[in-house]
Amino acid sequence: MHARTFAPILAATLAAAGQAHAVPTDTDAPALAARVVTYDAGASAEFRAAVDRGAAIWNESVDSVELRPAATGQRANIRILADNGWPRALTTSLGNGTVYMGRQAVSQGYDTVRISAHELGHILGLPDRKPGPCSSLMSGSSAGVSCTNPYPDASEKAEVEDNFALAPARPAGVRGQPVVD
């Protein structure tokens, strides 16, 4: 269970059990805020729904970072583009970069939501883990075209939590190397 929802549930459980313990709730103490990372999927073409689903999967999976669509006119941390090459991510710093939703992998039969979640995983600081099983999101294409699992495993979730719990927000500007899957 994620920390954002734990305290209210614990308070309700203790109250129902007749326990008189003080449990902090959202109104008692400031909630730990996730670092918000925005994305612009305006140029993701036919991959828009897959990108939104990939972001939602990360939001369901971790507490320390939240992916949100950029507001109109807002500069996004992540640009997402469709192209005819292989999917890849170019990170500029933790939580910043460009994701290319490549049609080449899709034409070979790879799942678009898995591709999206995988490439966003790179922006969140995760490396490829090839070869790897389908249960590992970051195994990428090495899991084969039959793998449609778009969810990070426990170690991938923990690594993203650690990445964002320890790293302050950093401005983009240092160019990284592309991660080509």
Side-chain angles (χ1 to χ4, degrees):
M1 182 172 304
H2 297 293
R4 285 184 268 193
T5 58
F6 181 71
I9 292 170
L10 180 59
T13 303
L14 290 173
Q19 302 290 326
H21 296 283
V23 176
T25 64
D26 291 337
T27 58
D28 296 326
L32 295 175
R35 177 167 160 205
V36 173
V37 173
T38 58
Y39 66 93
D40 177 359
S44 64
E46 70 271 23
F47 302 112
R48 180 61 184 257
V51 169
D52 289 338
R53 183 66 192 127
I57 287 167
W58 278 109
N59 290 341
E60 296 163 11
S61 300
V62 296
D63 289 322
S64 60
V65 63
E66 181 179 349
L67 298 170
R68 287 187 199 159
T72 303
Q74 177 186 20
R75 183 178 173 157
N77 299 97
I78 307 166
R79 288 185 51 221
I80 302 174
L81 309 170
D83 76 356
N84 292 326
W86 193 258
R88 61 204 179 277
L90 173 61
T91 59
T92 54
S93 62
L94 183 63
N96 295 285
T98 304
V99 166
Y100 295 87
M101 294 291 296
R103 292 181 181 101
Q104 183 178 356
V106 176
S107 70
Q108 292 179 20
Y110 289 95
D111 183 74
T112 58
V113 176
R114 180 174 168 86
I115 292 168
S116 172
H118 175 91
E119 297 306 335
L120 289 170
H122 288 311
I123 301 294
L124 300 177
L126 299 178
D128 280 320
R129 294 200 169 92
K130 295 180 180 182
C134 183
S135 59
S136 168
L137 176 62
M138 299 314 291
S139 67
S141 62
S142 71
V145 295
S146 64
C147 178
T148 60
N149 170 40
Y151 295 94
D153 66 22
S155 65
E156 293 163 340
K157 292 176 193 178
E159 189 172 344
V160 168
E161 295 285 22
D162 288 346
N163 289 346
F164 283 87
L166 300 175
R170 290 182 281 173
V174 178
R175 292 284 176 198
Q177 295 297 316
V179 179
V180 178
D181 297 308

